[in-house]
Amino acid sequence: MELTRAPFMPENPPGKPATWFTEYHGPGTGLTMKVLRTLYSAKSAFQEITLVETEDFGRVLLLDGIIQTTERDEFVYHEMLAHVPMCAHPEPGNVLIVGGGDGGCVREALRHETVEKVTLVEIDEMVVDCCREFLPGIAGGLDDPRVEVRVEDGVKFIEGCEEAFDVILVDSTDPVAMASPLTQVSFFRKAKRALKPGGLYAAQSQGPVFEGHRMRRITRRIRRVFPGAATYLANVPTYPGGIWSFALAPKSRRTDVRAKPRALPPDEKTHYYSPEVHAAAFTHPPYVAEILG
Ligand code: AG3
C-alpha cells in the first residue's frame, strides 16, 4: 500500500514530513490518518496486509488499503455484529464466524455464557497471524479453548454443514474479489441450510452513504433467501460515511429478531451495544429506508 503525504494537512514536526494514508470512499472523498509507524506489511496469497500505528485511532489493520478495524473504534462493529444476533437467539451454543480473522467477533461471541463452540473460518492465515501479534486486544479470544480456527474458504466450508450452527456471523471485507461469493444467493442458501432450527444469520452489509448500491443489492439477495431478514445500523467512525449496516436473517421467517433481546451476563460491559441500542438500530432514517426499498 502506498503511503502518501497529504499536502493539505499540517506537517508535524516542522521540517520532518509526516506520513499519512488515505482510504478513498468516492472519487473525491477519503479518510486520511496520520501514520506514526508501520508495524507490518506483507503480501499474502490473497491480499496486501498492512498494520499501522496511527496518531488518533491506535493500531489500524488495512487489507488492500481498506480499513478493516482500528483499536479505537473496533468495539462498535464487533459488538454490533456479534451481540445483536447473539442476544436475539434464545440459547446460542454453536457459533460459526466466516472471515473476521482479526478475532474481534470471536471475542464478543465468547462473552455469551451459553456458547460451547466458536468456529472461525478465515481464508488468509497471514491475517490471523498478524492480528495475534499486533492486535492482541482484539485477537486474544482466538486462544480460548472453545475456539477452533480453520484456515479455509468459508464458501467451501459451509457446503458440508447441515443444521450445525445456532448463529452464523459473516465478517467479510467489502464484497469485491474474494469476498464477493459471500454475498451471492447461492451462499445464503448454503448458510441457511447450515443453521439449526431457530438459527440466525448476520453479516456486515456495507454503508448507505458511499456503498448504497451494494447495501441494496446484498440486502435484496439476503431477503430472497431469508424472508424474515432485517437491517440494523451502527456508527463506525472509520468506515465510509461513518454509518454502517448489518443484515440479521432468521432461518424461520416467524422469528422476530427485534423482539426483546436476551441480556448479556451483567459483568459483561459493552461500550456500544445495549438492549436499547439493539431495538433502536432497526429504525432507519428515511434515506436508508429508500435505499433498502
Ligand atoms: N470487515 C470489513 C468491513 C468493511 C469495511 N469497509 C471499508 N472500510 N471500506 C471488518 C473486519 C473487522 N473484523
Side-chain angles (χ1 to χ4, degrees):
M1 197 203 45
E2 204 188 329
L3 297 172
T4 53
R5 275 197 278 148
F8 51 88
M9 295 289 186
E11 294 185 346
N12 186 24
K16 254 199 173 180
T19 304
W20 305 76
F21 83 85
T22 300
E23 176 184 330
Y24 290 95
H25 297 163
T29 307
L31 176 64
T32 299
M33 285 188 198
K34 185 168 160 194
V35 174
L36 302 179
R37 58 197 177 120
T38 300
L39 297 163
Y40 180 95
S41 167
K43 256 194 163 79
S44 75
F46 303 97
Q47 56 207 337
E48 191 177 355
I49 306 166
T50 314
L51 203 298
V52 291
E53 176 110 41
T54 65
E55 178 137 329
D56 294 327
F57 281 89
R59 295 183 177 185
V60 178
L61 172 69
L62 303 151
L63 296 178
D64 288 335
I66 303 292
I67 296 175
Q68 302 300 313
T69 202
T70 84
E71 283 184 315
R72 182 158 166 209
D73 72 351
E74 57 91 6
F75 67 96
V76 180
Y77 177 90
H78 292 132
E79 287 184 13
M80 288 300 277
L81 180 49
H83 298 317
V84 175
M86 297 287 292
C87 291
H89 193 287
E91 206 182 341
N94 205 354
V95 179
L96 170 66
I97 298 169
V98 177
D102 52 65
C105 282
V106 172
R107 182 195 64 201
E108 294 304 318
L110 290 171
R111 297 170 75 180
H112 294 256
E113 294 158 309
T114 55
V115 169
E116 286 158 14
K117 183 161 185 201
V118 178
T119 307
L120 176 80
V121 180
E122 162 64 54
I123 201 166
D124 194 342
E125 190 167 26
M126 283 174 72
V127 171
V128 180
D129 292 344
C130 167
C131 295
R132 277 187 196 272
E133 185 169 354
F134 296 106
L135 294 173
I138 300 177
L142 295 174
D143 295 323
D144 189 284
R146 290 168 289 174
V147 177
E148 180 187 4
V149 179
R150 302 179 66 122
V151 176
E152 57 184 282
D153 181 343
V155 178
K156 290 207 183 103
F157 174 83
I158 217 163
E159 265 162 21
C161 303
E162 188 98 5
E163 297 205 349
F165 302 103
D166 298 300
V167 175
I168 298 176
L169 307 177
V170 179
D171 181 7
S172 64
T173 49
D174 293 340
V176 286
M178 71 179 171
S180 156
L182 299 173
T183 57
Q184 304 298 326
V185 167
S186 57
F187 177 74
F188 299 141
R189 289 212 177 98
K190 288 172 194 156
K192 191 173 180 183
R193 220 174 297 132
L195 284 171
K196 290 186 192 177
L200 297 172
Y201 175 91
Q204 73 96 348
S205 50
Q206 304 293 114
V209 181
F210 291 99
E211 320 277 341
H213 56 293
R214 287 183 182 160
M215 184 177 153
R216 181 187 181 93
R217 197 166 55 216
I218 297 169
T219 308
R220 291 193 163 195
R221 287 182 190 153
I222 291 185
R223 283 188 195 150
R224 267 173 65 188
V225 178
F226 295 95
T231 296
Y232 61 96
L233 303 171
N235 290 99
V236 184
T238 56
Y239 287 174
I243 181 154
W244 212 247
S245 82
F246 304 83
L248 177 50
K251 180 162 179 138
S252 159
R253 73 160 79 207
R254 286 186 302 277
T255 309
D256 178 4
V257 291
R258 279 161 274 205
K260 203 172 158 21
R262 198 178 41 79
L264 271 159
D267 49 336
E268 292 294 349
K269 203 170 146 32
T270 50
H271 302 286
Y272 192 95
Y273 180 84
S274 73
E276 293 77 19
V277 167
H278 183 123
F282 289 93
T283 301
H284 307 152
Y287 86 97
V288 174
E290 278 159 27
I291 290 171
L292 294 175

